[in-house]
Every structure is written in structure tokens, then in C-alpha cells.
Amino acid sequence: MFTARFKLLNETEKWPAVVLGMQDVVAFFDTNAAQGGTIPNYASSYLVATKKFQYKGFNIDTSLGYGSDLGDIPAKEFRGLFGGVEITTPYLENTQLLIDYDANLYQPRGTKTIL
């Protein structure tokens, strides 16, 4: 699977970074993919905005985007509104809280990296 991303805007103090992306780009160029030719299971396009904040020592990374079909190829997995928040605490080393939302499922989870 080949993925392409194009940064349209860099993040500034006031504005988020904006990225246009495509998943499984090879399926877009396959003439039979729209009819189910080469397993275009992950083919989709998306637009996402990301912004980083700091609050009392916490690093907060946010994202909000929308995924849709890739040309004539229907998106199967990556379709609709999605977003997420990742919070890194200065009090617990290598620990983040991740909260993701996609069109299919709400997925709260935490991570701890042990080296």
C-alpha cells in the first residue's frame, strides 16, 4: 500500500497545519479497482487539521479530519469524520493519554512506554 500526504498549510501560533492525504494510491491508478479489481480495501482520501498546545506543562496534540472515497473507488474503512487528542503529562515519564474518534468506533486508551 502506498500513501501520499501533501501539507497544504504549516502550523502557526493561531492556525493548525492542514494535510491532504491519500491511502492506497496505487488502487486509484488501477482501471479495475472501482469494480473490485485489486483489493482496494484501504483506498481513501482525507483532509486533516492538526494543532499542538501546551497547558501547565502538559503537551496536547489535537487532530480533526474527514475521510472519503478515492476517486471512483469507495472507501471501506476510512470514511467520515475522525479526530483525536493526545495528552502527554510531565509527571509520568513516557506516558500519554490518547482519545480517538473515527466514523466506526470511539476508542479511548492510554499508553505507557517502558524502555
Side-chain angles (χ1 to χ4, degrees):
M1 177 170 64
F2 177 72
T3 300
R5 295 180 191 156
F6 305 96
K7 186 182 279 190
L8 303 177
L9 295 173
N10 287 318
E11 182 176 346
T12 66
E13 187 175 322
K14 293 184 179 183
W15 295 99
V18 177
V19 173
L20 174 65
M22 295 178 282
Q23 298 237 132
D24 201 3
V25 177
V26 175
F28 182 72
F29 296 103
D30 182 359
T31 57
N32 296 322
Q35 290 80 31
T38 60
I39 316 175
N41 288 332
Y42 300 103
S44 65
S45 58
Y46 59 89
L47 185 67
V48 64
T50 62
K51 183 77 176 132
K52 296 179 182 181
F53 303 95
Q54 288 193 341
Y55 179 74
K56 295 187 179 183
F58 290 87
N59 293 322
I60 304 167
D61 296 341
T62 61
S63 62
L64 182 64
Y66 188 82
S68 65
D69 300 341
L70 181 61
D72 293 336
I73 305 166
K76 294 180 182 175
E77 302 243 345
F78 197 58
R79 173 186 262 168
L81 188 66
F82 64 90
V85 176
E86 177 182 329
I87 302 170
T88 305
T89 173
Y91 307 110
L92 298 170
E93 190 174 326
N94 297 320
T95 302
Q96 299 91 20
L97 173 65
L98 304 172
I99 301 171
D100 294 335
Y101 173 81
D102 62 34
N104 299 321
L105 184 61
Y106 171 72
Q107 304 166 354
R109 61 184 182 261
T111 63
K112 172 80 174 148
T113 305
I114 301 172
L115 300 175

